[in-house]
Amino acid sequence: MAVKFGKAFGLNLTVLNTSSSKKDDAPTLFGADRFVVSKDEEQMKASAKSFDFIIDTASVVHPLDPYLLLLKPTGIFVIVAAPSEMKFNPIYVIMGMCTIAGTTVGGTEVTQELLNFFAANKIYPLIEKIPMDCINEAYERIMKRILANKHSEMIDKKY
């Protein structure tokens, strides 16, 4: 959703992912301008000091240093997920004069404003409807990280 949100503001956006699994979806489904595999050292080196702003949505423990090196001087790294710990070399923050910030979900008024913006700009989440009798398979797919790009899943209730 962050990529779609940014595109609605006319921003030039890059999707960073640990594998190439979303490379084809990044431009077509989300509107990303670029895609970088963060485990590919050459791609990361080529992207060094090229980002003004990074939104980190990963909820698993991961190294921050490779991402901090992507920021331009005075760049901003925003954490919106909550891994159990985060480690980084402070020299990258000090020498890069960058900022690490965090945010939570806003209150009702801010959430409504965001939903109104999404509706006005026709920004919708990707969902995959799953019949209730397939819930075990869906769970296995989530665990394998292949369900609708880790976005929301909707359970089709049968009464």
Side-chain angles (χ1 to χ4, degrees), residues 10-73:
L11 301 176
N12 182 313
L13 295 163
T14 300
V15 169
L16 300 166
N17 198 29
T18 56
S19 75
S20 60
S21 65
K22 296 177 185 157
K23 185 175 184 172
D24 293 336
D25 291 342
T28 56
L29 296 178
F30 307 118
D33 300 290
R34 290 182 53 226
F35 186 90
V36 173
V37 177
S38 61
K39 288 190 176 179
D40 183 319
E41 286 186 37
E42 292 304 312
Q43 288 185 41
M44 293 294 278
K45 281 182 187 176
S47 299
K49 297 185 191 290
S50 66
F51 293 90
D52 296 302
F53 193 89
I54 296 175
I55 299 175
D56 186 346
T57 63
S59 58
V60 296
V61 174
H62 59 286
L64 295 188
D65 293 347
Y67 302 100
L68 295 173
L69 292 171
L70 299 178
L71 290 170
K72 293 178 181 177

Side-chain angles (χ1 to χ4, degrees), residues 64-93:
L64 295 188
D65 293 347
Y67 302 100
L68 295 173
L69 292 171
L70 299 178
L71 290 170
K72 293 178 181 177
T74 69
I76 301 170
F77 187 91
V78 178
I79 301 161
V80 296
S84 60
E85 67 180 44
M86 298 191 102
K87 293 181 181 179
F88 63 92
N89 185 338
I91 199 70
Y92 297 131
V93 177

Side-chain angles (χ1 to χ4, degrees), residues 79-141:
I79 301 161
V80 296
S84 60
E85 67 180 44
M86 298 191 102
K87 293 181 181 179
F88 63 92
N89 185 338
I91 199 70
Y92 297 131
V93 177
I94 296 165
M95 296 304 291
M97 298 180 296
C98 63
T99 300
I100 297 177
T103 186
T104 61
V105 177
T108 305
E109 187 176 320
V110 172
T111 301
Q112 187 60 59
E113 185 178 335
L114 185 62
L115 291 173
N116 293 344
F117 180 84
F118 285 160
N121 289 279
K122 297 182 176 18
I123 300 171
Y124 308 108
L126 295 175
I127 63 166
E128 183 174 338
K129 281 191 163 189
I130 301 166
M132 195 59 169
D133 56 347
C134 296
I135 196 69
N136 290 334
E137 178 187 325
Y139 178 76
E140 288 176 27
R141 291 174 63 207

